Amino acid sequence: MSYQVIITYILPLFLIPLSAVITQARFLDFGINANLFIAVISAYVFFIGNRQVFILSSLLGVLILKFKPAFESVSLSLVITIMFIFLMRKILPIFPFVSVILISFMSTALFYLFTNYHFVIDGTYVLFFESLYNSILSVLFYLFLKLIYEEER
């Protein structure tokens, strides 16, 4: 297998669902619940070249994050958030580094707006710090991916 195939197909199909597993297991909770899945997708959208791989790996992550075998509104909220992330990547004409921060921050707020809008109103400070935490994780993952994808060239 060539390096190109690995970073185009295998890496996203591994890292995005892995971020869902880490989110589900709550490995990065330090008083604030980090949504590593949203953070990773917010950063990965700038590097993924194959739209089908992005959609497949994102849907695998959504399936991993399902809590019940039936349809959940949380899963629909995640799919809407993923579509928002993909669209915002096309819309925001700012530098990718700044766009990652904005997309991660806004997508965290959007996810909670769809899943629990009372939390957005009542827990504004917690939402702010969780969005900030997700943005920091997105930037770190963005820098990690930048190293990997620059090595490809």
Side-chain angles (χ1 to χ4, degrees):
M1 254 189 279
S2 71
Y3 186 72
Q4 179 69 29
V5 170
I6 291 172
I7 65 169
T8 303
Y9 299 105
I10 296 173
L11 195 63
L13 286 171
F14 174 72
L15 288 179
I16 293 176
L18 178 65
S19 69
V21 169
I22 293 171
T23 300
Q24 183 76 8
R26 297 179 163 235
F27 284 138
L28 296 175
D29 285 0
F30 300 109
I32 297 175
N33 183 17
N35 195 331
L36 186 64
F37 181 65
I38 289 177
V40 166
I41 288 179
S42 297
Y44 225 118
V45 74
F46 288 93
F47 295 98
I48 202 128
N50 191 324
R51 185 181 308 148
Q52 289 83 9
V53 172
F54 180 76
I55 291 169
L56 179 65
S57 58
S58 299
L59 290 177
L60 280 172
V62 170
L63 288 174
I64 289 169
L65 289 171
K66 283 184 62 69
F67 295 104
K68 300 175 187 167
F71 177 77
E72 292 180 303
S73 62
V74 175
S75 298
L76 179 62
S77 299
L78 273 173
V79 170
I80 291 170
T81 304
I82 291 166
M83 290 187 321
F84 171 78
I85 290 169
F86 192 76
L87 290 175
M88 288 305 292
R89 189 254 183 247
K90 301 285 186 190
I91 293 172
L92 285 176
I94 313 170
F95 297 108
F97 187 81
V98 176
S99 295
V100 166
I101 295 169
L102 290 174
I103 289 172
S104 178
F105 206 91
M106 290 186 299
S107 59
T108 303
L110 180 73
F111 174 71
Y112 281 113
L113 187 65
F114 284 127
T115 56
N116 187 2
Y117 65 90
H118 293 294
F119 179 70
V120 175
I121 297 167
D122 298 335
T124 309
Y125 294 116
V126 176
L127 177 64
F128 172 77
F129 286 113
E130 183 174 337
S131 297
L132 184 66
Y133 188 28
N134 285 345
S135 296
I136 291 168
L137 291 173
S138 289
V139 166
L140 292 174
F141 197 73
Y142 173 81
L143 294 173
F144 170 73
L145 288 174
K146 191 171 181 177
L147 287 173
I148 290 173
Y149 281 86
E150 280 182 353
E151 190 175 299
E152 170 202 358
R153 295 180 199 168

